[in-house]
Amino acid sequence: MSSKYGSLSGTLLTAIGEATGFFEWPIEYSEGWRRKQLMRAGKKTCYETVRRLKKKGLVKVVSQNGREFLALTKAGQLEKLFIKAGIQSGQEEWDGKWRLMIFDIPENVREKRDKLRWLLKRHGFKKLQASVFICPYSLNRQAIEFLDQTGLSSYIRILRVEEIDNDEILRKQFHLKSVNHTNSRP
C-alpha cells in the first residue's frame, strides 16, 4: 500500500505517532478512519508489518486500563521523523541562491550517512562531488530536525551560495531560469 508517506510501514509509523502517543491495538477496535486506511492493504499484511516494526524495535505494545496500544519507541519516533523529512513540499520560486550540503560522516555511522543521502535525493539535491550535494531549495523543517536529533548535524555544513562559476549546467539540471546577479564573477 502506498500513501503520501510511502510504504505501509511508513503509514503505520506516522499514524501511530500522530495518535496522541498511543494507537489502539488490535487495529479492528481502532477508530474507523485508521482501520479503513490501514486495512486496504489487507489484515494479514498489516499485522505482518506491525510484527516487523516490533522486531526492528520501532513500535511496542503498551497496556493501559486493560486495553492494548501500539506506541513508537525512540527509534520509531526518529524513523517517523525521517519519513516526514523526506516529503517535499511544493517548491517555491528560486531565489537565485544554491544550497550546498557538505558532510564528512565516519564509517561507523554508515547507516545514517546512507539515510542522509536518501533524504537529500528526495529533496532534489544532486551530487556535485563526493560528500557534496547541491540544490536550489532548502530542506524542510522535519529534515533539519531529523539531522539534529540523529546527531548528523555535527558532521554537516549547509551553505547558501549566491554564485557558482559555470552554473549553466546546474540550472539546466534543475530546470531553472537564469537569475541576474550584480556581479558576474564569484
Side-chain angles (χ1 to χ4, degrees):
M1 176 180 151
S2 186
S3 74
K4 82 176 202 180
Y5 301 116
S7 67
L8 179 58
S9 295
T11 301
L12 272 165
L13 287 172
T14 302
I16 293 166
E18 292 174 354
T20 61
F22 293 115
F23 186 84
E24 193 170 353
W25 187 251
I27 293 173
E28 289 92 38
Y29 307 113
S30 294
E31 295 122 44
W33 69 270
R34 285 195 188 116
R35 181 176 59 245
K36 186 177 179 182
Q37 180 184 22
L38 298 172
M39 290 303 174
R40 277 186 267 169
K43 184 175 181 178
K44 183 178 177 186
T45 302
C46 193
Y47 278 77
E48 286 172 0
T49 302
V50 169
R51 183 184 53 76
R52 281 193 306 275
L53 292 173
K54 284 170 39 179
K55 188 175 180 180
K56 288 181 176 181
L58 301 176
V59 298
K60 61 185 175 183
V61 176
V62 181
S63 295
Q64 192 175 52
N65 298 329
R67 294 169 64 193
E68 289 189 333
F69 298 90
L70 289 176
L72 295 180
T73 62
K74 178 69 175 159
Q77 291 170 357
L78 278 175
E79 189 66 23
K80 181 190 92 164
L81 185 58
F82 177 69
I83 290 164
K84 286 186 147 189
I87 298 170
Q88 279 187 290
S89 57
Q91 296 295 354
E92 65 279 0
E93 188 173 323
W94 185 39
D95 61 2
K97 295 175 176 61
W98 295 100
R99 278 61 178 186
L100 277 98
M101 177 81 67
I102 301 170
F103 56 93
D104 188 11
I105 302 172
E107 187 64 31
N108 63 342
V109 285
R110 167 178 265 190
E111 182 180 314
K112 288 182 181 180
R113 184 176 61 213
D114 293 343
K115 280 190 170 190
L116 172 64
R117 286 187 180 124
W118 180 89
L119 183 68
L120 292 174
K121 288 176 184 175
R122 284 289 305 252
H123 277 274
F125 278 75
K126 298 192 183 299
K127 189 174 184 176
L128 189 62
Q129 293 181 354
S131 301
V132 179
F133 283 71
I134 190 167
C135 185
Y137 307 108
S138 301
L139 291 172
N140 66 22
R141 181 180 46 82
Q142 291 90 352
I144 300 297
E145 189 178 338
F146 174 78
L147 296 175
D148 288 340
Q149 287 191 18
T150 57
L152 281 170
S153 58
S154 63
Y155 303 110
I156 296 169
R157 294 295 166 258
I158 302 172
L159 307 168
R160 190 173 68 193
V161 179
E162 287 194 28
E163 294 182 43
I164 296 178
D165 64 328
N166 301 319
D167 71 346
E168 296 84 17
I169 295 169
L170 288 170
R171 282 188 273 115
K172 283 181 184 175
Q173 283 182 326
F174 287 103
H175 309 289
L176 300 170
K177 294 178 183 176
S178 182
V179 175
N180 292 332
H181 294 287
T182 56
N183 183 359
S184 61
R185 296 194 53 134

